[in-house]
């Protein structure tokens, strides 16, 4: 079965600084990868997804992620963080032809310093 | 816009009570899911349903049951609540399409406290 690891439990960055959140997946075939964001007290919102094609994926709120098959990674990036980006971020992996089985990482909590 | 709503944002129940959490989606999605979210553990799947009256166990079904009598509504039932079921519960839904998988759409969550 597929699995996801988010190595960083908590990251703190200053407002305006760049951000990279790490995600490593384990799956033998081509994974289907997602990043979700959860603002305090809210459900999860999809930021972006990768199915195939261009390995650099653009999402909402100025986020992007890059799929690197050789490193089994799908890291999330943002060039300049805003205070409103403070939230918890979840990476998830699904598999082809399976609409039911999505595995989520443990999440990375982002704190933004003024 | 897909909308997934959950009946309560916060719930406090006593040990041994029967607890019902309800979820409704308005986009005619076939699949519906119940997850439990705990710090450091991420989201863990309790049950999912791919059709009315159909259900499948997820990774942690013990102590829970589900009901799906209508396509848009999926209920999670704690038959006899225990303190270790204190958690955030998230409902989600998605389409069944090939090749898939399609992203899941989430409700706002219900924070359940069992005392």
């Amino acid at each position: 079965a597929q699995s996801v690891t988010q190595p960083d439990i908590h990251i703190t960055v200053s407002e305006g600084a760049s951000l990279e959140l790490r995600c490593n997946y384990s799956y033998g075939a081509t994974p289907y990868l997602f990043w979700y964001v959860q603002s305090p007290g809210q459900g999860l919102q999809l930021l972006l997804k990768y199915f195939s094609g261009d390995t650099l994926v653009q999402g909402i709120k100025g986020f992007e992620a890059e799929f690197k098959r050789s490193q089994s990674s799908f890291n999330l990036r943002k060039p300049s963080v805003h205070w409103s980006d403070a939230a918890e971020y979840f990476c998830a992996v699904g598999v082809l032809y399976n609409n039911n089985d999505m595995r989520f990482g443990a999440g990375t909590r982002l704190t933004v310093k003024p | 816009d897909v909308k997934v709503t959950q009946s309560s944002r916060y719930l406090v129940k006593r040990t041994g009570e029967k607890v019902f959490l309800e979820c409704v989606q308005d986009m005619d999605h076939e699949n519906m899911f119940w997850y439990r979210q705990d710090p450091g553990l991420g989201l863990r799947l309790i049950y999912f349903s791919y059709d009315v009256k159909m259900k499948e166990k997820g990774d942690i079904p013990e102590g829970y049951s589900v009901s799906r009598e209508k396509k848009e509504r999926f209920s999670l039932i704690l038959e006899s609540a225990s303190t270790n079921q204190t958690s955030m519960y998230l409902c989600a839904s998605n389409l069944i399409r090939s090749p898939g998988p399609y992203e899941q759409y989430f409700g706002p969550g219900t924070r359940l406290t069992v005392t």
Side-chain angles (χ1 to χ4, degrees):
Chain A
Q2 72 277 28
S3 66
V4 173
T5 301
Q6 293 181 247
D8 305 304
I9 296 172
H10 185 205
I11 283 182
T12 300
V13 299
S14 298
E15 192 168 14
S18 63
L19 171 70
E20 183 168 30
L21 302 183
R22 297 185 291 163
C23 171
N24 295 102
Y25 69 90
S26 174
Y27 184 59
T30 300
Y32 285 66
L33 296 159
F34 306 81
W35 273 101
Y36 285 86
V37 60
Q38 184 181 34
S39 299
Q42 303 298 317
L44 276 67
Q45 180 185 18
L46 182 70
L47 282 175
L48 48 79
K49 59 190 177 187
Y50 171 78
F51 284 175
S52 64
D54 193 347
T55 56
L56 185 63
V57 180
Q58 302 297 321
I60 63 170
K61 303 178 189 274
F63 285 93
E64 67 178 26
E66 187 171 13
F67 172 61
K68 292 185 177 179
R69 185 186 298 276
S70 62
Q71 298 177 18
S72 298
S73 69
F74 188 56
N75 294 349
L76 183 71
R77 300 194 295 246
K78 187 170 185 178
S80 177
V81 168
H82 188 262
W83 63 266
S84 60
D85 293 324
E88 188 145 24
Y89 292 80
F90 292 92
C91 183
V93 59
V95 301
L96 183 63
Y97 296 113
N98 188 326
N99 286 284
N100 306 326
D101 188 11
M102 188 174 295
R103 300 288 164 161
F104 290 82
T108 298
R109 179 164 298 281
L110 174 66
T111 298
V112 181
K113 291 191 303 184
Chain B
D1 258 6
V2 175
K3 198 161 176 79
V4 181
T5 57
Q6 295 183 228
S7 51
S8 305
R9 296 298 300 275
Y10 300 93
L11 213 50
V12 179
K13 295 293 182 180
R14 294 195 181 274
T15 301
E17 277 193 84
K18 191 168 186 175
V19 181
F20 292 86
L21 303 183
E22 286 216 321
C23 174
V24 177
Q25 51 94 4
D26 67 357
M27 284 302 291
D28 206 33
H29 285 175
E30 294 93 345
N31 279 343
M32 295 188 75
F33 306 83
W34 276 106
Y35 291 93
R36 173 176 169 156
Q37 181 184 9
D38 298 290
L41 298 177
L43 277 69
R44 293 179 292 167
L45 182 64
I46 305 171
Y47 269 97
F48 73 92
S49 167
Y50 52 90
D51 200 352
V52 174
K53 297 192 187 295
M54 306 305 291
K55 62 185 179 185
E56 294 280 349
K57 292 180 180 178
D59 298 318
I60 52 165
E62 297 78 19
Y64 303 95
S65 62
V66 291
S67 172
R68 192 161 180 205
E69 298 296 321
K70 293 185 177 182
K71 188 175 185 180
E72 68 271 16
R73 191 179 297 269
F74 191 34
S75 300
L76 179 69
I77 303 153
L78 286 66
E79 296 290 345
S80 177
S82 64
T83 54
N84 63 13
Q85 293 177 309
T86 292
S87 187
M88 169 73 96
Y89 291 88
L90 292 169
C91 176
S93 70
N94 74 352
L95 292 166
I96 296 179
R97 291 291 184 270
S98 186
Y102 279 74
E103 64 265 28
Q104 296 181 14
Y105 293 84
F106 285 83
T110 296
R111 186 163 294 282
L112 173 66
T113 302
V114 183
T115 62

